[in-house]
Amino acid sequence: MRWTTAKVRQSFLDFFAARGHTIVPSASLIPKGDPSLLFTNAGMVQFKDYFLGVRTPQHLRVADCQKCLRISGKHNDLEAVGRDTYHHTFFEMLGNWSFGDYYKEEAIRWHWELITGDWEIDPKLLYATVHKDDKEAEDIWLKMGVLPRERILRFGDKDNFWEMGETGPCGPNSEISIDRGKGACKPEKNHAGQKCFVNVDGCERFIEIGNLVFIQYNRDASGALMPLAKKHVDTGTGLERTAAALQSIETGKILGNYDIDLFQTIIHKIEQAAQKFGDKARYGKNEESDVSFRAIADHARTMTFLIADGVIPGNSDREYVLRRIIRRAARHGRYLGIHRAFLAMAHAGVVEAMGDGYPEIKAAASKTAEIITQEESRFGETLDRGLELIDTELARIKKSGGHTVPGEVAFKLYDTYGFPLDLTEDVLRNHSIDVDVAGFDRLMDEQKERGRAARKDDAGAPEISLGAGTASRFVGYHRYEGESEVLAAGGKDGEHVAIVVAETPFYPEGGGQVGDRGVIETASGAILEVSDTRKADGSIVHVGRILRGDANDFRVGARVKLKIDRIRRDAAMLNHSATHILHYALRDILGNTVHQAGSLVDPDKLRFDFAHTGPVKDDALATIEEEINARIRENAEVTTDEMAYDDAIKAGALAFFGDKYGDRVRVVRMGDFSVELCGGTHISRTGDVGMFKLEAESGVAAGVRRIEAMTGNGALETIRKREKFLEEIGAQLGARDGAAVERLEKLLAREKELEKKLRAMEQKLAAGGGAGGAEAEEQVRDAGGVKVVTRKLDGVDPRTMREMADRMRQKHGSCVVALGSDLGEGKVALLVAVTADLTAKIKAGDIIKNIAPIVGGTGGGRPDLAQAGGRDASKLDEALSKVATLVQ
Ligand code: SER
């Protein structure tokens, strides 16, 4: 094949490189430093700041192939995926950019040259569109004289004005579409009989293969269009649809996007899964299973690339998008008859088809497969039951002639069976049935409310209202003391009070690090003991109790001296710096998909939660601990800088979606290994941490692990404490170190054995001596007026026999008891006991001497109790029955 997808990609880049464009790599699917976007949804996302004039580009002409995801927000194609042949959630966008350099004319001319020249597409198949008010663009097309007037079409904002999101750079555009021939669209199916044409929604015959946007505005938060200082070009060409068009021309067949070489590699893998585990469907044979093939192929790409860019399945933001995609794909697997995890196979197809162009998916392949399979298997447990519930519900609705699934059912599917709402809707769409979304939302809100109520119990937080105008400044990065003036005060005498001062060395809780404690004093000797420091609306609030003086001493305007608890701060500081080193080490050793999910830094220890599937193995934990301690011994310099957020991100600083950062941020660097955005307090060299000791690794939620650790003196104390435990254990066992372990192993083995015996015995006793077995029940006989009680036992040892004899004597009162037990391995035991009232006439010792020989043994004892051993278990009955005769 001449126009393989790889060739199309390369030819685009070569074309623009030859026209002065610098080729740049694709940016991550996770936009860096753009909280307005969940995912990179267009090639221009990484260049947004150049358009806005916030940053200055290095090159004025750039071209690339950008991985894009259209699955949320303004550009969301999820619902169309699979149902037609050209929509995707994940796709590759070819683009060329001019940052204030060339404009409409070159953009249009070059694309025409590329499409009709290099790609040799017949101009007769092509159409151009322009915005109805963009006379300039229309004139350029007319002047070029390459298309007849009737194939230069005008459209309004809906079709010819492009915007990246609710806000951001935008402008009118000009698009180039190709007519793929009559057979490419089924109007009756795709757009309800409407005539096939350019910009008819759902028409698969006229497909846009070039979108040239002339960026000249910024849509601001109020919705207004603000002209930009410079005019720019942003073009987008879908790689898959272009390859489909070229491969169709080449083969003479009408091929959809999913028929191109790249997708066939993926679909082939899905066919293999269907062969092996499913109903053996093949692509292209049946429209219904084709929808599933396409959806799985699309979703496999999305999950592969998302995971490689550091997203893991979960319940918030991006994580939930990934979870939904995996679950939807798993559901399509069921439609191909596959009732087990199989998506790792589709993922392998993606890596095979695209790994050369995107090394990140190759590098993350085994981990990605693991994450996908884990999520898929977990959902697999409830997927079938959920689908059953939907079937039942469908039957009910069809019978009653309704059209809507109640919110309760959708909520149950969500809450109990893990069906994201969009998945339920997707399943129902085939049946033209809706979900009562409002009802579903209400139940969701109620559940959230219950969760909030449960969390409300924020113990000990004093209710303090502060005056306005209380912005304060933290000056305590390198100071433990300071002087300032009270700006606001609240609370009552005898209770917690709160004060805000202009400048404070007290660190307010933030970035996981706990707030400082200490004292605030006045010149008159009043003392406020600060038990916590927090942030509230730009102020730093000190909370505590007045130890001397009263609230009046700390009124607004009072001069105060502030002193923090230095030991506590220093200890917290070590833990905070160690947290950065830990974060680095986790990413270094477990991979870049690890990212922080939560952190607590207090003086005693640090706790770090991070995204990772499955427990961290012991040897990896050991390596992590070693790496951290090596970095500590390296004694690397720790530096902090204030800079613009964008510069920090450019410098590779770790920042997290969902965290709020201002325009200027603080960047903390350690040696050459760690760069993080952080407002916390830190040591000046990594050696200050002294030592790092892992305390525990555990799971806190699906896909989230927790590490707890100690540093400095805390680490030393932990080790000492453990040593002490070991010593105590050694002392108890009477052995040390290796010998203690051996000893313990023996004890445990013995305990196990004893437990087994005990259980067996208990069972026997409970069964009343095992009727029908070797044991027998008590036999009570009268021997000349004396009660004789005998019992044959199995495996009961002599000591237990004595206990049993005691109980039997108590139970029967005046009597003679005789017990015989088969101890196994050719050994037997006999016991005779006589109650005190009878010992004058009947002596246990005498009886035993007479019966022991019957079982081949000897024995003797006191008048009230005698025991004997023997070797012939088959004679036990005979020996016992002789007792009555002897007594008589
Ligand atoms: N931004 C436009 C698009 O995404 C052109 O690149 O289609």
Side-chain angles (χ1 to χ4, degrees):
M1 179 173 297
R2 183 162 165 233
W3 288 112
T4 59
T5 310
K7 169 110 190 272
V8 178
R9 196 191 285 123
Q10 197 54 50
S11 65
F12 181 94
L13 298 176
D14 291 346
F15 180 92
F16 284 100
R19 283 154 187 82
H21 291 67
T22 301
I23 310 303
V24 301
S26 170
S28 166
L29 281 177
I30 313 304
K32 281 213 172 109
D34 187 347
S36 73
L37 266 187
L38 219 46
F39 300 107
T40 297
N41 62 2
M44 51 77 70
V45 168
Q46 62 165 321
F47 306 121
K48 183 181 156 192
D49 286 350
Y50 299 156
F51 293 147
L52 297 177
V54 178
R55 271 160 54 200
T56 318
Q58 242 183 317
H59 312 282
L60 299 184
R61 298 179 182 190
V62 160
D64 71 357
C65 179
Q66 171 68 47
K67 40 188 182 181
C68 298
L69 199 53
R70 292 202 167 164
I71 199 168
S72 62
K74 186 172 173 65
H75 298 280
N76 184 348
D77 291 333
L78 178 61
E79 300 314 330
V81 167
R83 297 176 192 281
D84 61 31
T85 61
Y86 68 104
H87 273 100
H88 308 279
T89 54
F90 175 93
F91 68 102
E92 293 177 78
M93 186 187 278
L94 302 162
N96 59 292
W97 283 270
S98 152
F99 305 123
D101 188 34
Y102 62 84
Y103 203 41
K104 296 182 187 176
E105 172 146 12
E106 292 88 335
I108 292 175
R109 191 158 38 79
W110 283 338
H111 269 266
W112 184 261
E113 262 176 58
L114 171 69
I115 294 172
T116 59
D118 291 44
W119 290 345
E120 298 171 0
I121 296 182
D122 185 349
K124 285 205 205 69
L125 303 177
L126 299 174
Y127 290 76
T129 65
V130 293
H131 190 270
K132 62 178 176 27
D133 301 330
D134 192 355
K135 183 101 183 45
E136 189 185 352
E138 191 180 41
D139 285 346
I140 293 170
W141 277 112
L142 286 170
K143 210 173 71 204
M144 274 173 34
V146 290
L147 283 173
R149 179 150 211 131
E150 65 276 14
R151 275 198 274 136
I152 301 167
L153 311 164
R154 291 184 205 153
F155 286 91
D157 286 353
K158 177 179 164 281
D159 294 297
N160 279 83
F161 193 91
W162 197 86
E163 307 196 39
M164 78 171 260
E166 296 315 322
T167 61
C170 52
N173 65 354
S174 177
E175 295 186 339
I176 302 169
S177 292
I178 180 171
D179 177 357
R180 309 185 57 237
K182 279 206 180 74
C185 184
K186 297 178 186 62
E188 65 291 353
K189 171 179 163 244
N190 294 349
H191 41 83
Q194 226 182 311
K195 204 166 159 280
C196 283
F197 200 51
V198 175
N199 283 345
V200 168
D201 279 345
C203 180
E204 295 184 35
R205 174 172 162 186
F206 292 86
I207 295 274
E208 165 228 314
I209 54 166
N211 178 13
L212 323 179
V213 185
F214 312 120
I215 300 272
Q216 49 178 313
Y217 303 109
N218 178 31
R219 172 101 52 201
D220 72 14
S222 73
L225 287 179
M226 309 304 288
L228 293 169
K230 286 187 179 155
K231 291 175 175 168
H232 316 273
V233 171
D234 153 25
T235 79
T237 294
L239 173 64
E240 298 80 357
R241 48 174 66 182
T242 306
L246 290 173
Q247 292 180 17
S248 295
I249 294 170
E250 192 177 335
T251 58
K253 291 184 210 147
I254 294 172
L255 303 178
N257 292 11
Y258 292 85
D259 298 312
I260 63 175
D261 54 331
L262 183 155
F263 264 110
Q264 281 303 304
T265 306
I266 304 169
I267 287 179
H268 187 59
K269 280 280 181 340
I270 305 168
E271 285 178 330
Q272 279 176 358
Q275 289 298 312
K276 234 167 132 178
F277 313 120
D279 59 13
K280 310 205 183 320
R282 289 206 177 276
Y283 185 62
K285 298 269 180 276
N286 162 306
E287 177 54 23
E288 234 167 76
S289 51
D290 283 358
V291 170
S292 293
F293 274 116
R294 287 192 289 262
I296 294 167
D298 170 84
H299 295 356
R301 297 212 302 173
T302 298
M303 56 187 94
T304 300
F305 278 87
L306 273 182
I307 295 172
D309 276 349
V311 182
I312 51 155
N315 285 334
S316 58
D317 301 321
R318 299 184 172 118
E319 279 102 7
Y320 195 55
V321 171
L322 175 57
R323 168 160 288 167
R324 279 162 46 206
I325 272 292
I326 296 177
R327 295 188 172 191
R328 285 175 81 119
R331 190 270 310 217
H332 278 293
R334 295 296 196 265
Y335 287 2
L336 299 179
I338 306 173
H339 286 270
R340 48 160 285 157
F342 76 101
L343 290 173
M345 285 176 80
H347 156 254
V350 177
V351 177
E352 188 185 325
M354 304 181 71
D356 288 341
Y358 298 92
E360 70 269 29
I361 63 169
K362 251 190 196 168
S366 65
K367 198 175 166 122
T368 305
E370 201 181 303
I371 291 174
I372 291 174
T373 306
Q374 199 182 44
E375 175 72 15
E376 192 186 4
S377 309
R378 196 178 302 144
F379 181 51
E381 287 162 21
T382 55
L383 172 57
D384 289 318
R385 282 190 286 144
L387 288 174
E388 267 167 42
L389 175 61
I390 293 184
D391 281 345
T392 318
E393 193 57 26
L394 275 173
R396 191 188 64 76
I397 290 173
K398 281 189 181 149
K399 218 165 121 192
S400 69
H403 299 284
T404 312
V405 166
E408 285 78 15
V409 176
F411 185 72
K412 182 168 183 190
L413 281 162
Y414 166 81
D415 202 36
T416 312
Y417 300 111
F419 276 51
L421 178 62
D422 65 281
L423 173 53
T424 302
E425 289 177 319
D426 197 45
V427 176
L428 294 171
R429 192 163 299 126
N430 293 340
H431 305 269
S432 304
I433 290 199
D434 296 329
V435 175
D436 168 15
V437 177
F440 174 87
D441 286 345
R442 189 170 29 78
L443 292 166
M444 274 298 270
D445 287 346
E446 280 170 24
Q447 190 184 53
K448 277 192 200 133
E449 197 41 55
R450 283 194 295 276
R452 259 200 292 279
R455 277 194 307 272
K456 224 182 210 147
D457 186 28
D458 184 7
E463 272 303 324
I464 291 158
S465 66
L466 294 160
T470 49
S472 44
R473 211 157 75 84
F474 174 65
V475 295
Y477 281 122
H478 304 287
R479 273 160 53 187
Y480 299 100
E481 295 183 14
E483 265 192 60
S484 194
E485 184 191 319
V486 175
L487 295 182
K492 288 196 208 100
D493 282 346
E495 291 173 13
H496 276 100
V497 296
I499 70 168
V500 173
V501 301
E503 287 188 344
T504 178
F506 281 75
Y507 179 79
E509 180 185 336
Q513 183 176 335
V514 293
D516 275 333
R517 291 184 188 161
V519 290
I520 301 179
E521 299 167 339
T522 64
S524 61
I527 299 176
L528 168 65
E529 188 185 45
V530 178
S531 55
D532 199 7
T533 311
R534 301 171 196 168
K535 260 183 257 175
D537 299 332
S539 319
I540 298 171
V541 183
H542 308 81
V543 180
R545 275 170 197 283
I546 296 175
L547 296 188
R548 201 188 301 149
D550 56 37
N552 194 38
D553 292 308
F554 296 97
R555 72 190 174 277
V556 174
R559 293 291 307 171
V560 288
K561 274 196 178 145
L562 305 105
K563 232 186 268 171
I564 67 165
D565 177 339
R566 189 176 167 156
I567 295 178
R568 192 170 171 277
R569 152 78 80 83
D570 283 348
M573 191 161 77
L574 294 193
N575 283 334
H576 199 158
S577 297
T579 300
H580 285 212
I581 310 178
L582 167 64
H583 194 185
Y584 143 76
L586 287 171
R587 290 170 66 91
D588 187 47
I589 288 149
L590 301 179
N592 278 347
T593 50
V594 165
H595 62 254
Q596 176 169 341
S599 149
L600 172 77
V601 178
D602 75 17
D604 299 328
K605 67 161 188 280
L606 64 94
R607 197 179 77 194
F608 189 76
D609 295 347
F610 57 102
H612 183 69
T613 33
V616 183
K617 305 215 171 66
D618 281 349
D619 52 347
L621 282 176
T623 316
I624 288 164
E625 195 178 62
E626 277 158 23
E627 175 65 19
I628 295 170
N629 281 298
R631 293 300 179 178
I632 292 170
R633 286 194 303 273
E634 182 184 314
N635 203 19
E637 201 181 345
V638 179
T639 54
T640 54
D641 280 315
E642 277 225 351
M643 58 175 84
Y645 177 81
D646 295 327
D647 292 334
I649 297 300
K650 241 197 290 177
L654 293 176
F656 305 101
F657 184 75
D659 280 10
K660 283 197 206 86
Y661 298 105
D663 291 341
R664 297 210 47 92
V665 290
R666 192 160 172 272
V667 174
V668 177
R669 263 177 223 274
M670 299 189 180
D672 59 1
F673 55 86
S674 163
V675 193
E676 287 198 31
L677 296 191
C678 178
T681 65
H682 287 277
I683 52 184
S684 52
R685 302 201 79 100
T686 57
D688 297 347
V689 175
M691 186 192 326
F692 176 95
K693 184 79 203 104
L694 272 175
E695 174 80 354
E697 191 273 346
S698 58
V700 279
V704 182
R705 307 298 302 176
R706 169 169 292 175
I707 278 188
E708 286 161 279
M710 316 277 201
T711 62
N713 216 25
L716 190 62
E717 268 169 28
T718 314
I719 296 172
R720 280 222 187 100
K721 228 190 274 165
R722 281 201 200 144
E723 256 175 15
K724 224 164 153 220
F725 279 137
L726 285 178
E727 262 163 38
E728 267 170 38
I729 291 169
Q732 294 271 350
L733 291 171
R736 296 188 56 154
D737 300 337
V741 177
E742 241 171 66
R743 192 65 189 262
L744 193 60
E745 273 167 4
K746 275 196 194 136
L747 280 174
L748 288 175
R750 176 141 178 77
E751 195 199 330
K752 232 189 196 158
E753 195 182 304
L754 287 175
E755 251 172 26
K756 217 160 99 191
K757 277 195 183 155
L758 188 65
R759 255 200 307 281
M761 212 173 284
E762 276 167 358
Q763 273 163 7
K764 264 173 215 151
L765 288 176
E775 283 195 2
E777 303 217 356
E778 283 183 3
Q779 302 215 348
V780 183
R781 258 173 271 187
D782 180 82
V786 176
K787 199 194 261 183
V788 174
V789 188
T790 61
R791 184 166 175 198
K792 194 174 114 184
L793 303 162
D794 189 19
V796 178
D797 64 18
R799 195 174 130 189
T800 314
M801 287 168 80
R802 283 200 293 277
E803 286 164 11
M804 286 175 77
D806 284 345
R807 279 202 298 276
M808 288 162 81
R809 274 186 289 188
Q810 263 167 28
K811 178 173 146 196
H812 292 283
S814 174
C815 68
V816 173
V817 171
L819 299 174
S821 175
D822 180 353
L823 299 176
E825 294 171 2
K827 279 194 197 154
V828 299
L830 285 173
L831 177 147
V832 176
V834 179
T835 49
D837 61 312
L838 299 175
T839 47
K841 288 185 281 174
I842 306 162
K843 307 233 177 322
D846 292 345
I847 298 176
I848 211 94
K849 271 189 206 129
N850 276 293
I851 60 170
I854 299 175
V855 293
T858 53
R862 308 192 306 258
D864 62 334
L865 186 80
Q867 281 180 278
R871 280 182 304 275
D872 190 353
S874 68
K875 296 279 179 53
L876 271 178
D877 286 322
E878 192 186 317
L880 290 175
S881 61
K882 190 159 177 208
V883 176
T885 327
L886 288 167
V887 169
Q888 212 156 24

